[in-house]
Amino acid sequence: SLHDALPISSNPPPEAAQQGSVTISPRYAALGQGGSLQFHATVAAGGAVEWMVDDVPGGNATIGTVSASGVYMAPATLAQSENVTVTAALATSPNMNYATSVVSLIQPGVVTPTINPQVATYSIYLPAPRSVTINFGPSSAYGLATWTQTTPSPNGGEISIFVAGMLGLTPYHMQAEVVLDDGTTFTDVDQTFTTGTPPSTASVVASSQSGGTPQPGIELFDAVFPAKQAEAFATDLSGNVIWTYSYAGSADDVVQPIRLLSNGHFLVQISYASSAFLIGERIPAGALDEVREVDLAGNTIRSVTRQQLANALTMQGNTIVLGSLHHDVLELPNGHLVLLLTTSQSFQNLPGYPGTTNVLGDVLVDVDQ
């Protein structure tokens, strides 16, 4: 990631401080590289003010400069996001009368493509704790927004957010909105990203009844026929494809179903026809029989296959013979998954079926994390 080589300090961000007769405003601020801010200092008893940045009179090009009138100028280029302190001190007694302001200097975010042509990753490093939201849209007016993510540490850290919900082969603008725990806000520079060519999906035609207003949101599909590169996909309310999920398997594999999880990931079940074991069909080479948790980019976070379940049941001494995963999967509030699989059993002389008949049934399997 962007800041793997920049360890987060073990010390919390500095606090604004005051001693004696000097006050400063604002007490907290956030700036990007090259940004400027006017500070104001008041000395109750009067007297000249000396300005410093990180205890350096007037500052310097690395930490930023501050003028005799209190105008702070951030460095033109930031090597990393960091906090600096701007101090206003009484010139005649700087150690006894001073006030400080904490300025969070935030390096511009970085937008990178993912394995999904319609999803970008927006990464930005915060030197203080709180949260980031990404605004995006086809112009700098944006109009759409991601969810909000918080920093990984009480000291700040890097936040990476998937920006998804974009049309294919379309240029987009995106911009991070930052809120810090000290109450300051920061708006990143405008970033641009052009989406790639999405895989083919089933066609969707959307219409609304005259005078009707559809509820907000998106539509999530898992289409079985006709077979396309991406069976799982999402559209906006006009029927435009704004997200897809593709996987490598056999021609017989289908998504049944795909579900949105509470953490923003998807739960995807991929398997072949559940009757294959019963009627003696040959399972095609490369066929999948698996439940996956995938993120918006399509990366697999965790997965469990039918064979893994079968092996685990055998180790527990269970004699149930599993057929295939099929048709549904649920996430429980405790994070477990409830899987639905086929199993078959032989019966003798069922009404209308003399002799031995194999009957397909179901088994539910609870799997922990």
Side-chain angles (χ1 to χ4, degrees), residues 14-15 22 56-57 100 112-113 216 273 297 309 330 358 363:
E15 296 288 339
V22 180
V56 178
T100 66
T112 55
L309 293 172
L330 292 175
N358 289 328
V363 57

Side-chain angles (χ1 to χ4, degrees), residues 260-283:
L260 182 63
L261 295 175
S262 58
N263 63 0
H265 294 166
F266 291 94
L267 197 57
V268 189
Q269 182 167 276
I270 309 169
S271 58
Y272 40 83
S274 56
S275 60
F277 277 104
L278 182 67
I279 60 181
E281 289 184 357
R282 187 180 70 84
I283 307 303

Side-chain angles (χ1 to χ4, degrees), residues 214-226:
Q215 65 177 3
I218 67 169
E219 305 291 344
L220 183 61
F221 293 86
D222 56 289
V224 178
F225 298 108

Side-chain angles (χ1 to χ4, degrees), residues 229-251:
Q229 287 177 279
E231 294 168 350
F233 61 97
T235 73
D236 60 19
L237 296 181
S238 297
N240 301 305
V241 175
I242 57 174
W243 181 83
T244 62
Y245 174 66
S246 302
Y247 56 88
S250 74

Side-chain angles (χ1 to χ4, degrees), residues 77-110:
T77 302
L78 294 172
Q80 65 182 60
S81 298
E82 60 181 344
N83 298 297
V84 298
T85 57
V86 174
T87 301
L90 185 62
T92 56
S93 56
N95 294 327
M96 297 297 295
N97 293 275
Y98 64 87
T100 66
S101 174
V102 178
V103 182
S104 295
L105 301 178
I106 301 177
Q107 194 179 34
V110 176

Side-chain angles (χ1 to χ4, degrees), residues 8-362:
I8 298 174
S9 170
S10 59
N11 298 316
E15 296 288 339
Q18 180 183 355
Q19 180 170 313
S21 61
V22 180
T23 59
I24 190 173
S25 65
R27 299 293 300 278
Y28 296 94
L31 292 173
Q33 57 189 21
S36 64
L37 182 64
Q38 173 71 64
F39 285 93
H40 299 277
T42 302
V43 182
V49 172
E50 180 183 19
W51 291 92
M52 294 172 282
V53 182
D54 285 353
D55 296 327
V56 178
N60 57 44
T62 302
I63 56 179
T65 59
V66 61
S67 69
S69 61
V71 176
Y72 173 77
M73 180 69 70
T77 302
L78 294 172
Q80 65 182 60
S81 298
E82 60 181 344
N83 298 297
V84 298
T85 57
V86 174
T87 301
L90 185 62
T92 56
S93 56
N95 294 327
M96 297 297 295
N97 293 275
Y98 64 87
T100 66
S101 174
V102 178
V103 182
S104 295
L105 301 178
I106 301 177
Q107 194 179 34
V110 176
V111 178
T112 55
T114 69
I115 60 174
N116 188 313
Q118 290 172 271
V119 179
T121 299
Y122 198 123
S123 300
I124 190 167
Y125 192 95
L126 305 186
R130 193 64 183 273
S131 62
V132 173
T133 303
I134 310 301
N135 297 316
F136 68 103
S139 73
S140 57
Y142 308 113
L144 299 169
T146 67
W147 66 348
T148 299
Q149 284 189 215
T150 56
T151 49
S153 161
N155 305 323
E158 185 180 61
I159 294 178
S160 292
I161 299 181
F162 286 128
V163 182
M166 298 181 284
L167 301 173
L169 296 173
T170 304
Y172 278 84
H173 291 256
M174 50 191 69
Q175 185 179 57
E177 288 286 345
V178 175
V179 178
L180 300 179
D181 271 354
D182 56 28
T184 58
T185 60
F186 172 77
T187 301
D188 195 18
V189 296
D190 179 69
Q191 310 269 1
T192 57
F193 178 82
T194 300
T195 56
T197 304
S200 62
T201 66
S203 61
V204 174
V205 177
S207 62
S208 59
Q209 299 299 318
S210 177
T213 301
Q215 65 177 3
I218 67 169
E219 305 291 344
L220 183 61
F221 293 86
D222 56 289
V224 178
F225 298 108
K228 296 291 184 180
Q229 287 177 279
E231 294 168 350
F233 61 97
T235 73
D236 60 19
L237 296 181
S238 297
N240 301 305
V241 175
I242 57 174
W243 181 83
T244 62
Y245 174 66
S246 302
Y247 56 88
S250 74
D252 288 11
D253 295 325
V254 294
V255 173
Q256 49 170 352
I258 179 170
R259 294 182 177 276
L260 182 63
L261 295 175
S262 58
N263 63 0
H265 294 166
F266 291 94
L267 197 57
V268 189
Q269 182 167 276
I270 309 169
S271 58
Y272 40 83
S274 56
S275 60
F277 277 104
L278 182 67
I279 60 181
E281 289 184 357
R282 187 180 70 84
I283 307 303
L288 300 176
D289 204 355
E290 182 177 356
V291 171
R292 298 174 176 175
E293 178 182 345
V294 301
D295 62 22
L296 278 168
N299 301 301
T300 299
I301 306 302
R302 58 173 174 158
S303 70
V304 59
T305 66
R306 182 202 64 84
Q307 189 59 57
Q308 289 173 325
L309 293 172
N311 294 342
L313 289 173
T314 299
M315 291 180 64
Q316 292 180 358
N318 199 307
T319 59
I320 294 177
V321 178
L322 299 180
S324 69
L325 293 155
H326 73 99
H327 287 89
D328 212 353
V329 58
L330 292 175
E331 179 194 33
L332 298 181
N334 63 2
H336 291 200
L337 300 180
V338 176
L339 309 179
L340 177 64
L341 297 99
T342 61
T343 186
S344 61
Q345 185 174 337
S346 296
F347 291 88
Q348 299 296 321
N349 300 318
L350 294 176
Y353 296 88
T356 302
T357 303
N358 289 328
V359 178
L360 193 68
D362 290 315

